Amino acid sequence: MKIITVIGARPQFIKCAAVSKELRKKHTELIIHTGQHYDENMSSVFFDELEIPKPDFNLEVGSGNHGKQTGEMLSKIEEIYLKEKPDLVLVYGDTNSTLAGALAASKLLIPVAHVEAGLRSRNMNMPEEQNRILTDHISKYLFTPTKTADENLKNEGLSNIFSVGDVMYDGVLFFSELSKKKSQILEKSHLKKNEYILATIHRAENTNHQDRLKSIFKGLEESGENIILPLHPRTNKYIKEYGIELGKNIKVIDPVGYLDMIALESNAKKIVTDSGGVQKEAFFMGVPCITLRDETEWVETISNGWNVIVGADKGMIVENIKHFNPISERINVFGEGNASKKITDIISSK
C-alpha cells in the first residue's frame, strides 16, 4: 500500500517518528512536510535527532493567516496526490496541515486516517478545535488515544473508531532513554533537577491578546521561581510588539529539539504551558502541570489531579506555581506504548 503522511508542526514530527518506523515495515510511505513550522530549530533539528525519514516533499508554506496558509497547502497537496495516487492519507492532530491534508484527500476520494482523533476542548473559537472536528468527520479511520475520545466520536454519530492509545506515549517511552544519553541541555543551561519551572507559551489564544500575554508573564515573574522559557518565534514577536519586559527570574533560551525538551520536562519541578503535547508529556513523566488555557482537550490529566487549568489569571498562575502539588497517583489512560504498531496492523488488515 502507498501511504502519504502529511505533517507540518513539531508535535506531528514526534508522532510521525513513532508511527513511520512501524508503517515502513509493511508499506510504502511518502512524507509531505507543509513547512507550517519553518524555523530551523522548530523543524529540521527534529528530523535529524529523531531519525524521521526526510520528507519527500517540502511545501515551505510558512506562516500566514489561516485562510491563506490552509489554501496554499490545499493546492500544493492536491497536486502531489494527483501525481502519486496514494491508497491512503495519514494525518495527525489538529493543525492547518492536518485539515489541508485530510480535505484534499477527501475531495479526491482518497481514504483518510486521523491519528489522535476524537479530542474536544468544546471551544469552537480555537482553530485547532475546528480543524480536529472537520478532520474527524471526513476520515475513514479514527485512531483514538483515550476512551474519552471514543465517547466524543460516538456522541457525534461517527463509527470506524479504533482505540489504539496515544502515539506520543510511544515516542516518550523510546526517546526518554535516548535523551538521557544524548541531551546536555541541563549542563549547558546550568540547571539542576527540581530547581526550575519549565514554561512554554505559543498558542494564539494567548499570544494574540496583549492583556493575556502580559498577565501570564507577570504571573511568571511574581512567582519568584527560576523560570526557563524556550521561546517560540511567534511568542517572541508579540513580546516585542507589546513591549513586554520579562522578569529577571525568567531565563529565555532558544527553541530546543525533542531530546532536550524531554530532558527539560523530566527534570523540572513543575511545568507551565499552553501546549497540549506538553501537558501529556508532563503527565507521562510525573511532573505537575499548570495549563495556561481556559480549557483542555486532555481532560484525563485534570481528572487524575496532575494538571490544573489557570487560564491567563496572574493570581492563579502565582498560586499554583507556589502551591499546586498532586496528591493522587497517576492512572495511565493513554495505552501501553504500542499505539503505532496497532495503527499499522489495523491499516494492513483492511
Side-chain angles (χ1 to χ4, degrees):
M1 183 184 297
K2 180 190 279 190
I3 298 170
I4 288 185
T5 294
V6 180
I7 54 178
R10 281 169 52 134
Q12 295 168 342
F13 308 152
I14 300 160
K15 296 163 194 170
C16 178
V19 176
S20 289
K21 281 183 173 67
E22 294 294 332
L23 273 183
R24 293 183 177 221
K25 293 177 182 178
K26 297 184 178 181
H27 305 287
T28 299
E29 182 194 33
L30 300 176
I31 294 177
I32 297 175
H33 179 6
T34 64
Q36 183 171 337
H37 275 176
Y38 54 93
D39 181 88
E40 178 75 15
N41 287 334
M42 301 290 283
S43 180
S44 297
V45 66
F46 270 56
F47 287 90
D48 294 336
E49 72 175 5
L50 302 188
E51 299 178 359
I52 304 171
K54 288 291 188 280
D56 299 275
F57 306 93
N58 194 327
L59 307 185
E60 299 181 347
V61 170
S63 63
N65 293 332
H66 288 289
K68 179 179 182 297
Q69 187 185 62
T70 308
E72 189 174 345
M73 290 177 189
L74 268 169
S75 176
K76 292 183 176 182
I77 289 171
E78 184 181 57
E79 290 180 13
I80 296 169
Y81 290 171
L82 288 169
K83 178 183 177 182
E84 295 294 338
K85 298 179 172 54
D87 301 299
L88 178 75
V89 167
L90 190 147
V91 296
Y92 296 89
D94 54 21
T95 66
N96 289 342
S97 300
T98 305
L99 179 60
L103 188 56
S106 180
K107 295 284 188 181
L108 295 174
L109 305 182
I110 302 167
V112 177
H114 186 198
V115 177
E116 207 173 78
L119 302 188
R120 298 293 183 266
S121 69
R122 315 298 177 194
N123 181 0
M124 284 299 290
N125 291 323
M126 291 176 58
E128 294 89 351
E129 184 79 351
Q130 298 167 21
N131 290 343
R132 63 173 72 108
I133 289 174
L134 292 168
T135 300
D136 281 341
H137 282 259
I138 57 176
S139 293
K140 180 177 180 179
Y141 300 96
L142 297 166
F143 294 120
T144 58
T146 64
K147 291 181 180 179
T148 303
D150 296 347
E151 292 304 313
N152 288 337
L153 294 172
K154 290 174 185 176
N155 291 338
E156 293 174 19
L158 296 176
S159 55
N160 292 325
I161 300 166
F162 301 92
S163 187
V164 296
D166 196 309
V167 295
M168 282 194 80
Y169 187 42
D170 296 17
V172 166
L173 290 176
F174 178 80
F175 290 115
S176 289
E177 293 305 312
L178 196 58
S179 173
K180 290 175 185 176
K181 296 176 183 177
K182 291 191 173 184
S183 176
Q184 297 179 332
I185 188 69
L186 265 67
E187 293 82 356
K188 289 179 180 178
S189 303
H190 307 291
L191 299 172
K192 293 182 179 180
K193 186 175 179 65
N194 292 329
E195 292 187 0
Y196 64 92
I197 305 291
L198 175 66
T200 76
I201 306 161
H202 78 282
R203 282 191 182 267
E205 65 193 89
N206 288 323
T207 61
N208 293 13
H209 298 276
Q210 184 171 343
D211 290 344
R212 285 184 70 96
L213 198 60
K214 284 186 174 180
S215 180
I216 287 169
F217 278 110
K218 202 66 179 172
L220 294 176
E221 179 182 357
E222 291 186 9
S223 75
E225 291 280 353
N226 180 24
I227 308 289
I228 302 302
L229 176 68
L231 190 56
H232 191 288
R234 179 167 64 237
T235 311
N236 189 31
K237 170 191 169 186
Y238 283 107
I239 286 173
K240 293 176 180 177
E241 185 175 315
Y242 301 151
I244 297 175
E245 293 187 11
L246 304 188
K248 294 180 180 179
N249 62 317
I250 300 174
K251 180 178 181 179
V252 171
I253 61 175
D254 289 334
V256 296
Y258 190 53
L259 299 184
D260 284 345
M261 190 62 178
I262 287 178
L264 288 171
E265 290 171 340
S266 61
N267 288 284
K269 180 161 64 172
K270 292 176 185 174
I271 293 174
V272 182
T273 187
D274 60 9
S275 163
V278 174
Q279 289 176 60
K280 279 191 300 177
E281 288 162 355
F283 183 80
F284 297 155
M285 297 172 193
V287 178
C289 185
I290 299 161
T291 294
L292 303 169
R293 289 173 54 187
D294 299 324
E295 69 285 306
T296 181
E297 55 275 15
W298 297 109
V299 295
E300 297 84 0
T301 64
I302 302 291
S303 60
N304 261 259
W306 281 76
N307 188 4
V308 61
I309 299 289
V310 299
D313 186 289
K314 180 188 72 173
M316 290 184 67
I317 293 169
V318 173
E319 173 68 19
N320 283 280
I321 288 178
K322 287 181 175 294
H323 301 298
F324 173 57
N325 286 299
I327 58 174
S328 59
E329 290 188 17
R330 287 174 300 133
I331 301 172
N332 181 22
V333 294
F334 293 99
E336 301 169 354
N338 60 353
S340 302
K341 185 178 187 306
K342 286 184 177 180
I343 288 169
T344 300
D345 289 345
I346 291 166
I347 288 172
S348 302
S349 67
K350 301 300 178 180

